[in-house]
Amino acid sequence: MDSNFVIIQALCRSALASTREMTEHQMERLIDNYRKNGKDKEAKSLEGILIQARKMQPMEPLNFVISSMEGDILTKNTTIPVDKETATPILEIIFQDDLEQEEPIFNDSIKMAVDAIVNEWRNYDKLVQLKASPSRSCLIYGDPGTGKTMLAKWIAKSVGLPVVLAKLDGIISSFLGTSSRNIANLFRFANRHKCILLLDEFDALAKLRDDPQEIGEVKRIVNTLLQNLDVRSEKGFTIGITNHEKLLDPAVWRRFDVQIDIPHPSPLVREKMLAKFIFPLEYSQPELKFISWCMNDATGADLRKLSDWLKRVHILEESEIHNLPTLMSLFATMNMGRVPKRIIELLNGDLADLCKELTSNEFLQLKQKDIAALFEMSPSTLSKLISKNNKNGR
């Protein structure tokens, strides 16, 4: 009898049982056995098959699988639909390893809402058994730069599904009828696979249908979108993202089970973001509070821009001594659209006025020694400066 026959039997049983780990283990045994018997050619051939199969394996790093969810599993070799007229892809597939690796920083209420969505989908099979259903759709809206797309990708990462990303402004075609066909093909593809459908720049299509400036073709496109959202609600999970929620048709709002408004980060959230973005540079808590105060009402994207700039300054201008207020004054001058006008005036104005503002600000709650350290002066010098300012009636 062939010495490998026992392994081949086990390999066949594993394959029939559809247990990938067992199949790979038996293949590895077979490869080792061929090598021991001097059959390197056979061993190398089987090893090539195993390596290729692992490359094609869908990325599911989490410990749960939504087994009862309908649809095929997406792989790197899945054929993507294209626009018939231009031959450009109408979607992009983002697998688990390419999604957000770290949880985005939001306030507690946003975090609780996201945790609730993720928990429903992690218990998908249990809900289905009870003839219940998790939330099937989520609309994420807010100002540009607040982290909407990042949040959507984090939800997908947490749920353990790949993302089918469609930028709807790119699906709209100048050819009559093509846009509606693209939308239908997009949803048909998403409905056929286990995935999260992410509709970025959602307002590009979902505008008010009674807008007198819109032509009939756009209204037909919106109707196609609504019809496909209705069908999709029975099959998978859809996330829509928009910067302009007021442009959305009320009928579109009703299609989404969950609607999350992403605000600008609060002062405390800004501090957490800054600490994360600035790393590996280290700033003290008073310094983070001061930077957060300077960036009042900034978005996460603004804070990341500032953090990257501070890193560049640290590298390129190491020899020059810049205290933090001087640095923030320079940044504010270079980024007047990101820093409030009043903060810019204080940073670029009289030092005594800025120090007085910092000492009296209830949110900052900075001690005089902390403020003195910001300006690289002694506490006594700061006290004299503030005292002189008060005597002058400023």
Side-chain angles (χ1 to χ4, degrees):
M1 182 184 290
D2 183 352
S3 63
N4 291 318
F5 187 71
V6 174
I7 301 175
I8 292 172
Q9 278 183 316
L11 181 60
C12 291
R13 291 192 192 102
S14 300
L16 289 171
S18 299
T19 307
R20 186 181 187 100
E21 290 78 11
M22 289 176 60
T23 304
E24 289 186 359
H25 174 66
Q26 298 302 336
M27 282 192 72
E28 287 168 350
R29 285 183 62 202
L30 191 56
I31 290 167
D32 287 341
N33 235 26
Y34 273 125
R35 283 215 172 96
K36 287 175 183 177
N37 293 329
K39 297 182 178 181
D40 291 335
K41 184 177 180 181
E42 289 86 346
K44 192 172 182 179
S45 176
L46 288 175
E47 195 172 46
I49 294 172
L50 188 57
I51 291 171
Q52 187 62 30
R54 283 171 173 165
K55 285 181 179 179
M56 293 172 60
Q57 184 178 8
M59 303 169 190
E60 296 178 347
L62 300 181
N63 296 325
F64 60 91
V65 178
I66 306 173
S67 58
S68 61
M69 182 180 178
E70 294 181 9
D72 299 332
I73 294 177
L74 287 166
T75 72
K76 298 286 186 180
N77 291 343
T78 300
T79 303
I80 296 176
V82 298
D83 181 283
K84 185 178 179 182
E85 307 296 340
T86 64
T88 56
I90 63 173
L91 59 90
E92 174 189 354
I93 301 174
I94 308 176
F95 291 96
Q96 281 283 300
D97 280 3
D98 297 319
L99 290 170
E100 300 299 326
Q101 299 300 313
E102 296 183 15
E103 183 176 5
I105 300 173
F106 291 101
N107 62 42
D108 289 343
S109 60
I110 300 295
K111 189 177 185 303
M112 287 175 63
V114 172
D115 288 346
I117 295 170
V118 170
N119 190 46
E120 287 181 15
W121 277 86
R122 285 185 171 179
N123 291 278
Y124 182 95
D125 290 344
K126 294 178 183 178
L127 291 173
V128 170
Q129 287 175 3
L130 293 174
K131 296 183 179 180
S133 176
S135 301
R136 291 287 188 172
S137 54
C138 175
L139 181 66
I140 303 176
Y141 61 96
D143 289 342
T146 49
K148 299 181 294 299
T149 301
M150 185 184 299
L151 176 58
K153 290 179 179 179
W154 173 253
I155 291 174
K157 180 73 174 180
S158 302
V159 169
L161 290 171
V163 169
V164 170
L165 172 63
K167 291 198 172 184
L168 293 183
D169 62 338
I171 288 178
I172 301 175
S173 173
S174 59
F175 296 95
L176 191 65
T178 299
S179 298
S180 293
R181 184 166 62 243
N182 285 343
I183 292 171
N185 288 338
L186 166 69
F187 277 87
R188 192 177 298 115
F189 179 89
N191 294 344
R192 194 166 64 243
H193 297 92
K194 291 185 179 183
C195 67
I196 287 181
L197 176 59
L198 178 53
L199 304 174
D200 205 356
E201 301 176 10
F202 193 62
D203 47 277
L205 288 182
K207 293 181 179 179
L208 295 170
R209 284 177 294 177
D210 57 358
D211 187 339
Q213 296 182 344
E214 299 293 359
I215 60 174
E217 172 63 12
V218 173
K219 293 180 180 179
R220 284 191 290 274
I221 291 171
V222 174
N223 285 331
T224 300
L225 178 62
L226 294 175
Q227 291 165 7
N228 278 280
L229 282 171
D230 288 337
V231 174
R232 172 87 179 146
S233 66
E234 304 275 330
K235 297 182 178 294
F237 188 33
T238 305
I239 300 178
I241 296 176
T242 179
N243 298 331
H244 307 287
E245 70 278 6
K246 293 180 181 178
L247 294 179
L248 298 186
D249 188 316
V252 171
W253 277 87
R254 291 195 296 270
R255 260 69 176 187
F256 288 93
D257 299 333
V258 179
Q259 301 158 2
I260 302 178
D261 180 8
I262 306 299
H264 288 223
S266 66
L268 181 59
V269 173
R270 286 200 303 271
E271 287 178 41
K272 291 180 179 179
M273 285 182 170
L274 285 165
K276 177 182 177 181
F277 297 159
I278 290 173
F279 183 84
L281 299 185
E282 293 184 3
Y283 284 83
S284 66
Q285 199 61 38
E287 287 174 328
L288 290 174
K289 281 182 174 291
F290 172 72
I291 299 172
S292 175
W293 173 78
C294 292
M295 299 298 289
N296 183 43
D297 203 37
T299 65
D302 293 331
L303 297 176
R304 191 176 287 278
K305 288 281 187 185
L306 166 63
S307 301
D308 290 345
W309 182 82
L310 287 172
K311 290 178 184 179
R312 292 198 300 271
V313 169
H314 177 77
I315 293 171
L316 301 177
E317 300 184 23
E318 258 185 343
S319 59
E320 295 185 27
I321 299 176
H322 287 299
N323 62 45
L324 194 54
T326 302
L327 280 176
M328 290 307 301
S329 173
L330 178 58
F331 178 82
T333 302
M334 297 169 65
N335 295 268
M336 290 191 171
R338 292 190 171 98
V339 183
K341 184 178 179 180
R342 180 174 177 274
I343 301 294
I344 295 175
E345 291 173 348
L346 284 168
L347 289 171
N348 292 332
D350 188 85
L351 178 59
D353 290 336
L354 176 57
C355 291
K356 182 179 179 180
E357 173 67 26
L358 295 177
T359 53
S360 61
N361 189 286
E362 293 182 1
F363 155 69
L364 285 172
Q365 295 183 343
L366 291 176
K367 298 177 181 178
Q368 283 202 10
K369 65 175 184 178
D370 296 327
I371 298 172
L374 288 175
F375 293 94
E376 298 179 344
M377 63 175 69
S378 66
S380 60
T381 301
L382 175 66
S383 181
K384 291 176 182 177
L385 187 66
I386 294 173
S387 176
K388 183 179 178 181
N389 182 279
N390 290 332
K391 286 181 181 178
N392 292 334
R394 297 171 70 175

